[in-house]
Amino acid sequence: MSDTPEDPGRTGDGTRAVRAGLPEPVKHEPTLPGPVFAAHFHLPGEATGPYLYGRDENPTWTLLERAIGELEAPGRDDIETLVFASGMAAISSVLFSQLRAGDAVVLPSDGYQVLPLVRAQLEAYGVEVRTAPTGGDAQLEVLEGARLLWIESPSNPGLDVCDIRRLAAAAHAQGTLVAVDNTLATPLGQRPLELGADFSVASGTKQLTGHGDVLLGYVAGHGAEAMAAVRRWRKIVGAISGPMEAWLAHRSIATLQLRVDRQNATALAVAEALKQRPEVSGLRYPGLPDDPSHKNAAQQMRRYGCVVSFTLPTRARAERFLDALRLVEDATSFGGVRSTAERRRRWGGDAVPEGFIRMSVGAEDPEDLIADLLRALDESAE
């Protein structure tokens, strides 16, 4: 079987996830070759060929990058994918490789909590940073003349969704590049490159790998010059993934569709159960028909994600609730097969209420998980 994205036998998400990035079969060789641990390669004569030095390329990265590219943009051969040591390494590679002193960039004001640190560094380098919320396509209001538009949809942790097609069209009309943080959606939930983005960026630490044992990031994009700059940044900074992490990520992608479908279905059931509780306010999940983001999400997302957010009346109530949970771990990050939840204000970086909970729904039986949540709500009541 061909390993190209155009293979007509690889049309479903599950088939694509299981087969993505695999090399041509060779008798007596493993289906997925093991990680290649090499700082250098045999290189007699001229310094040419695909693998010259371990900071630049690695065969294990190559297979993973091919796999992610097939998921982010199936059927396209103009997409390049690069893996990084973490999601923030991937985010930084786009921002700092594409922006120069005097440029302007538009960031979401309600995005990932590390973005304010990124803003401070960009401003120190002479880049003008503008911000606006994700909801209501508000970033359009500050877009004029910007070099780069950074979209996070759904936003983390508020789960607002913007119209990516609309924003990308407006940006491109004035020559602005568009990057979309696709971490919450994964390529099975949303394909930003098909919606008009120049870059799809994500933390593979989250649902893409899904087991809480890998730190990874990636950038998928088109445009030879833009992606060459991203590759050059990776080389300069050395923000590279270890071979074992890359191999674990590729192995984990095989179950992506199974995990995503289970977690997304349970997340919707969890949201519907929480909706019935009077102490819960501000409930957000893009898959709920009455969620403020549902209309946009339904137009551009194929799956709505595994994260549910809601607010309990006080910090103390939220902490009692988290302490009472038995099947849900109090931990940061999201997307893993084991459910987690946390009070986001404990980090100090998100403009959310003290009782705001971000919950990542795992792969437990939905009935067990919902029962645990409802019991914890009952036990945490004053």
Side-chain angles (χ1 to χ4, degrees):
M1 175 182 281
S2 168
D3 63 7
T4 61
E6 294 80 4
D7 189 336
R10 213 182 295 189
T11 56
D13 284 340
T15 304
R16 186 175 291 114
V18 167
R19 306 292 305 179
L22 297 182
E24 289 286 351
V26 176
K27 189 174 183 179
H28 306 308
E29 293 293 323
T31 304
L32 176 61
V36 175
F37 299 104
H40 59 268
F41 304 88
H42 288 298
L43 194 62
E46 294 296 320
T48 60
Y51 303 109
L52 308 179
Y53 184 60
R55 189 183 67 247
D56 300 331
E57 290 289 354
N58 178 286
T60 310
W61 302 351
T62 299
L63 297 180
L64 175 60
E65 289 169 345
R66 184 187 303 169
I68 294 172
E70 290 182 20
L71 297 178
E72 283 281 355
R76 291 181 61 172
D77 58 8
D78 62 334
I79 301 300
E80 181 176 3
T81 303
L82 298 170
V83 295
F84 290 81
S86 68
M88 279 309 304
I91 289 170
S92 299
S93 75
V94 174
L95 291 169
F96 291 101
S97 70
Q98 305 302 313
L99 296 167
R100 304 288 183 271
D103 287 342
V105 61
V106 176
L107 301 179
S109 59
D110 55 344
Y112 181 47
Q113 65 166 358
V114 181
L115 288 182
L117 298 178
V118 174
R119 173 178 186 163
Q121 192 62 59
L122 287 168
E123 290 175 338
Y125 288 156
V127 175
E128 178 190 352
V129 179
R130 308 170 189 165
T131 62
T134 300
D137 298 343
Q139 289 176 300
L140 287 174
E141 299 172 10
V142 294
L143 185 60
E144 184 176 357
R147 164 69 177 163
L148 175 67
L149 167 62
W150 189 273
I151 295 170
E152 189 177 296
S153 181
S155 61
N156 174 26
L159 303 181
D160 273 323
V161 174
C162 62
D163 185 338
I164 295 176
R165 289 187 185 91
R166 181 187 180 202
L167 268 67
H172 289 157
Q174 63 174 23
T176 300
L177 293 169
V178 178
V180 176
D181 186 328
N182 203 35
T183 304
L184 263 165
T186 82
L188 298 195
Q190 180 173 268
R191 294 176 184 154
L193 300 176
E194 293 182 357
L195 298 173
D198 300 288
F199 305 98
S200 181
V201 187
S203 167
T205 308
K206 312 299 193 296
Q207 197 171 22
L208 185 80
T209 56
H211 291 78
D213 54 8
V214 172
L215 284 171
L216 190 89
Y218 70 84
V219 178
H222 57 85
E225 183 178 349
M227 287 304 295
V230 174
R231 179 182 290 273
R232 186 167 57 250
W233 180 264
R234 183 177 72 173
K235 177 182 179 72
I236 293 169
V237 176
I240 58 172
S241 171
M244 189 66 191
E245 286 79 4
W247 185 84
L248 284 169
H250 197 170
R251 177 217 54 180
S252 299
I253 284 174
T255 62
L256 179 61
Q257 185 259 345
L258 298 172
R259 291 184 282 107
V260 163
D261 281 353
R262 173 62 173 257
Q263 291 171 259
N264 285 206
T266 305
L268 179 59
V270 164
E272 289 172 337
L274 291 173
K275 190 176 176 181
Q276 308 306 314
R277 298 291 299 215
E279 68 268 56
V280 170
S281 63
L283 176 68
R284 297 298 303 272
Y285 182 67
L288 286 171
D290 58 350
D291 186 271
S293 291
H294 183 72
K295 181 178 179 181
N296 273 341
Q299 291 173 344
Q300 65 193 23
M301 298 184 73
R302 298 155 58 235
R303 295 171 175 88
Y304 298 113
C306 64
V307 176
V308 177
S309 67
F310 58 97
T311 300
L312 294 177
T314 64
R315 170 178 175 168
R317 177 70 188 276
E319 290 175 345
R320 291 197 303 272
F321 166 72
L322 293 170
D323 288 342
L325 291 167
R326 296 171 185 165
L327 297 180
V328 183
E329 301 169 3
D330 192 342
T332 195
S333 196
F334 56 84
V337 291
R338 290 173 291 278
S339 293
T340 62
E342 68 171 338
R343 193 181 65 83
R344 285 300 292 176
R345 275 293 292 274
R346 67 179 177 175
W347 297 99
D350 295 309
V352 294
E354 287 285 358
F356 181 95
I357 302 290
R358 184 185 71 183
M359 179 179 178
S360 172
V361 176
E364 298 89 355
D365 286 306
E367 298 83 2
D368 294 339
L369 189 58
I370 291 171
D372 189 43
L373 291 168
L374 298 182
R375 179 196 51 77
L377 285 172
D378 289 340
E379 291 185 4
S380 63
E382 295 181 352

